[in-house]
């Protein structure tokens, strides 16, 4: 029983197209042979201690398995991906690949053990029934764990290339702890010299015919108790796998604490780029340039002028799917709420927030001499309401109000007293000399981008900590 994402292509959201654009931007390597992947995902996750199997536990409101699929789909030369799940999770998996646009994924029902599930996945490539959508048999197949979401193209490329040349290949890592053997009574029997041994990791890759032939010869004992695919091709095909030292990010989510570590990695990754959008006035452009100079020391920064025309750079930046963080800067603009609504709608329309939470930091520069406090508080109320509504759509809105005066140009900045006020969702502070506070503003923005600040937050006054 199998279900292919292609069966619902007409109903698929735009996220698949966005992923395709990212693949073209990032995928630079080519292989002269066909490659597919099989992900066994039928485990119950007993060590996780959760009622939900770990591959379906959520990170940033998204199933862990979906993150692993995204990592594989970024690699353009992996043509097909087969995910093998238990019968009870078959429909759930179908809904996940449809929701998150995994356009190259086919779902297959697995067996009672890991090896039986992998074999079921491989069988999907040798079916040739005109009445069904069938997959073309690849020359090389990659086997990877569904709960290792941080696999990169480099290690996938190296194991696939080595498998083509040698028949089989797998990633390895140095042992972290010494391995010991115990006696039946629970005493130390002997220990292994750690420097001579390595931990077998994923991904692994095989010539398809070799791994398929090995599984055809497996005994019931192999299917029941075996765990190492590389050993099967050695035992039944006489192929000694090429072992390749892998990076440290091949680790597997096994325990509940690993979910927190994985979420931190995802948040850090999402905070590595930001798109600054400014109004057309001189002040927001100036602040945008200053913020760009500071932020580009730690992340990739694009600076664009506000426009949502389809041919504009601003709209292209949103629809490309390369940014999940936006800083919108404007000054004394009574249409600011309308423009924020348009930005939220544009993000919704391209399904950007379907993948990860999107952060919008609204930086409003307010000339205290040109607007009243009544107008300011009215804007606060509206932005807070909009932030509450956007949060349901996986879009986080924060607002930063900068009060300033035109006396900056007169050299009277030293006569203006610094002050700050904080209310939920809104951060307000008065600055007499904007340039000197750019680093501080960037620190607030970076905290938002890490997605560690709840929508209703409180920050103590920092007035006494600032030196002009």
């Amino acid at each position: 029983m199998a279900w292919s994402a292609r069966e619902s292509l007409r109903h698929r959201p735009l996220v698949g197209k966005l992923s395709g654009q990212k693949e073209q931007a990032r995928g630079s390597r080519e292989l002269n042979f066909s490659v597919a992947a099989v992900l066994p995902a039928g485990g119950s996750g007993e060590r996780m201690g959760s009622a939900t199997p770990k591959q379906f536990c959520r990170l940033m409101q998204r199933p862990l398995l979906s993150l692993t699929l995204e990592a594989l789909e970024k690699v353009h030369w992996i043509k097909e991906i087969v995910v093998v799940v238990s019968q009870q999770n078959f429909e759930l998996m179908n809904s996940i690949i449809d929701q998150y646009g995994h356009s190259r994924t086919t779902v297959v029902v697995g067996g009672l053990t890991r090896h039986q599930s992998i074999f079921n996945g491989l069988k999907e490539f040798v079916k040739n029934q005109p009445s069904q959508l069938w997959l073309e048999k690849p020359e090389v197949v990659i086997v990877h764990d569904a709960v290792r979401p941080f696999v990169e193209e480099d290690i996938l490329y190296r194991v696939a290339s080595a498998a083509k040349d040698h028949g089989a290949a797998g990633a390895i890592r140095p042992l972290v702890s010494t391995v010991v053997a115990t006696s039946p009574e629970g005493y130390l029997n002997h220990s292994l010299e750690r420097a001579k041994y390595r931990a077998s990791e994923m991904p692994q890759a095989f010539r398809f015919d070799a791994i398929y032939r090995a599984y055809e010869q497996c005994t019931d004992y192999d299917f029941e108790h075996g765990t190492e695919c590389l050993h099967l091709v050695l035992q039944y095909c006489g192929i000694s796998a090429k072992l390749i030292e892998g990076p440290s990010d091949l680790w597997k989510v096994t325990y509940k604490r690993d979910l927190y570590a994985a979420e931190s990695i995802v948040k850090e990754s999402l905070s590595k780029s930001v798109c600054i959008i400014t109004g057309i006035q001189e002040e927001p452009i100036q602040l945008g340039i200053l913020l760009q100079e500071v932020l580009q020391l730690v992340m990739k920064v694009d600076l664009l002028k506000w426009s949502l025309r389809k041919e504009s750079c601003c709209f292209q930046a949103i629809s490309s799917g390369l940014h999940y963080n936006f800083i919108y800067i404007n000054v004394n603009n009574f249409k600011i709420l309308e423009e924020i609504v348009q930005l939220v709608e544009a993000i919704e329309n391209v399904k950007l927030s379907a993948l990860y939470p999107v952060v919008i930091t609204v930086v409003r520069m307010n000339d205290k001499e040109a607007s009243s406090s009544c107008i300011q508080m009215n804007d606060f109320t509206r932005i807070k309401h909009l932030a509450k509504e956007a949060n349901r759509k996986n879009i986080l809105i924060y607002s930063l109000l900068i009060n300033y005066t035109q006396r900056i140009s007169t050299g009277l900045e030293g006569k203006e007293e610094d002050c700050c006020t904080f209310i939920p969702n809104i951060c307000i502070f008065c600055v007499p000399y904007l340039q000197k506070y750019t680093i501080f503003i960037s620190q607030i923005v970076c905290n938002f981008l890490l997605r560690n600040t709840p929508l209703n937050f409180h920050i103590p006054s920092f007035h006494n900590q600032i030196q002009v």
Side-chain angles (χ1 to χ4, degrees):
M1 182 178 183
W3 188 93
S4 170
R6 287 181 293 271
E7 294 176 5
S8 64
L9 209 54
R10 289 184 298 113
H11 307 290
R12 183 166 306 286
L14 293 178
V15 289
K17 295 183 180 179
L18 296 179
S19 298
Q21 293 176 19
K22 288 188 280 187
E23 289 166 12
Q24 293 174 7
R26 298 173 184 175
S28 57
R29 299 187 177 187
E30 299 291 342
L31 292 174
N32 59 0
F33 53 90
S34 57
V35 180
V38 172
L39 268 68
S44 60
E46 293 180 4
R47 286 174 291 183
M48 178 67 70
S50 170
T52 302
K54 56 191 175 185
Q55 61 271 26
F56 297 110
C57 288
R58 291 188 170 264
L59 288 182
M60 309 287 288
Q61 303 181 30
R62 184 175 174 186
L64 177 61
L65 175 53
S66 178
L67 299 180
T68 307
L69 287 173
E70 183 187 23
L72 293 178
E73 288 184 336
K74 288 177 183 176
V75 182
H76 69 95
W77 44 262
I78 297 178
K79 301 303 182 183
E80 302 287 350
I81 303 168
V82 172
V83 177
V84 191
V85 300
S86 62
Q87 180 66 61
Q88 57 265 38
N89 289 318
F90 185 76
E91 293 302 326
L92 172 62
M93 191 65 232
N94 290 339
S95 65
I96 289 173
I97 66 173
D98 191 48
Q99 179 179 357
Y100 296 100
H102 298 302
S103 57
R104 283 181 276 158
T105 300
T106 298
V107 186
V108 175
V109 174
L112 297 177
T113 67
R114 174 181 172 84
H115 275 316
Q116 288 173 340
S117 292
I118 294 174
F119 193 24
N120 279 10
L122 295 173
K123 289 176 180 177
E124 202 63 28
F125 293 102
V126 297
K127 289 181 177 180
N128 190 356
Q129 302 177 26
S131 61
Q132 298 182 3
L133 287 172
W134 55 279
L135 306 178
E136 182 179 351
K137 187 179 77 170
E139 295 177 68
V140 169
V141 62
I142 294 172
V143 178
H144 188 60
D145 283 331
V147 290
R148 296 181 193 257
F150 305 117
V151 62
E152 296 287 345
E153 180 178 2
D154 179 68
I155 187 63
L156 292 166
Y157 179 87
R158 286 192 286 155
V159 296
S161 299
K164 174 65 174 175
D165 294 337
H166 305 284
I172 57 172
R173 290 286 300 162
L175 288 175
V176 177
S177 302
T178 300
V179 179
V180 299
T182 61
S183 67
E185 294 78 22
Y187 294 97
L188 176 66
N189 187 304
H190 65 276
S191 63
L192 301 180
E193 187 177 345
R194 190 168 58 183
K196 292 183 178 180
Y197 295 87
R198 293 290 183 271
S200 179
E201 305 284 356
M202 289 290 174
Q204 296 175 351
F206 309 85
R207 288 199 200 112
F208 184 90
D209 290 338
I211 186 65
Y212 194 84
R213 188 166 70 253
Y215 272 117
E216 285 184 313
Q217 300 177 67
C218 277
T219 64
D220 291 340
Y221 183 88
D222 293 326
F223 278 118
E224 183 68 27
H225 301 287
T227 58
E228 182 55 76
C229 300
L230 297 178
H231 178 73
L232 293 181
V233 294
L234 175 62
Q235 180 176 352
Y236 292 108
C237 302
I239 296 174
S240 183
K242 175 68 174 177
L243 302 180
I244 298 173
E245 194 81 18
S248 59
D249 53 9
L250 292 179
W251 58 280
K252 180 180 180 181
V253 174
T254 303
Y255 302 101
K256 189 173 291 187
R257 62 176 179 267
D258 296 332
L259 287 172
Y260 300 114
E263 182 170 314
S264 296
I265 292 173
V266 173
K267 286 181 177 180
E268 183 179 1
S269 177
L270 290 176
S271 68
K272 292 301 183 183
S273 71
V274 64
C275 180
I276 301 176
I277 303 172
T278 74
I280 60 175
Q281 301 97 328
E282 180 181 350
E283 293 93 336
I285 293 176
Q286 180 187 8
L287 178 57
I289 293 172
L290 293 173
L291 281 176
Q292 182 184 36
E293 291 176 353
V294 175
L295 292 174
Q296 68 185 5
L297 298 175
V298 293
M299 66 182 71
K300 181 183 181 300
V301 183
D302 287 334
L303 178 61
L304 305 170
K305 289 185 180 180
W306 168 260
S307 175
L308 285 184
R309 295 195 309 270
K310 288 191 176 182
E311 66 275 10
S312 69
C313 293
C314 183
F315 181 83
Q316 293 301 318
I318 296 171
S319 60
S320 69
L322 297 178
H323 292 294
Y324 286 89
N325 306 298
F326 299 89
I327 301 174
Y328 172 84
I329 306 175
N330 218 317
V331 57
N332 291 344
N333 185 353
F334 294 106
K335 292 185 178 181
I336 188 169
L337 186 66
E338 177 184 331
E339 293 179 355
I340 298 170
V341 170
Q342 291 175 2
L343 180 57
V344 170
E345 290 176 348
I347 290 170
E348 277 190 273
N349 289 339
V350 298
K351 308 294 184 181
L352 189 60
S353 58
L355 296 177
Y356 298 103
V358 176
V359 171
I360 301 175
T361 302
V362 180
V363 181
R364 177 179 174 182
M365 301 177 64
N366 179 64
D367 186 349
K368 293 175 63 179
E369 299 171 350
S371 64
S372 68
S373 58
C374 179
I375 293 176
Q376 292 178 25
M377 294 309 299
N378 190 35
D379 285 345
F380 294 160
T381 302
R382 293 177 179 178
I383 291 175
K384 286 175 61 179
H385 178 74
L386 176 60
K388 185 176 180 180
E389 293 297 318
N391 187 43
R392 299 192 183 102
K393 305 166 185 175
N394 213 20
I395 300 173
L396 310 179
I397 299 178
Y398 299 100
S399 183
L400 177 61
L401 175 67
I402 303 174
N403 286 322
Y404 75 103
T405 68
Q406 294 295 335
R407 285 182 289 168
I408 292 176
S409 59
T410 68
L412 299 177
E413 61 270 17
K415 297 182 181 180
E416 182 80 31
E417 183 182 1
D418 302 334
C419 66
C420 65
T421 307
F422 296 94
I423 60 177
N425 263 89
I426 311 294
C427 178
I428 316 165
F429 60 97
C430 173
V431 292
Y433 192 33
L434 186 61
Q435 186 169 3
K436 291 185 178 181
Y437 284 83
T438 302
I439 294 179
F440 179 74
I441 296 170
S442 68
Q443 290 173 343
I444 294 178
V445 170
C446 285
N447 191 56
F448 294 159
L449 302 192
L450 285 172
R451 294 157 173 79
N452 290 328
T453 307
L455 287 182
N456 292 313
F457 65 92
H458 173 73
I459 307 176
S461 172
F462 51 81
H463 174 255
N464 295 327
Q465 302 174 18
I466 298 177
Q467 300 294 326
V468 178

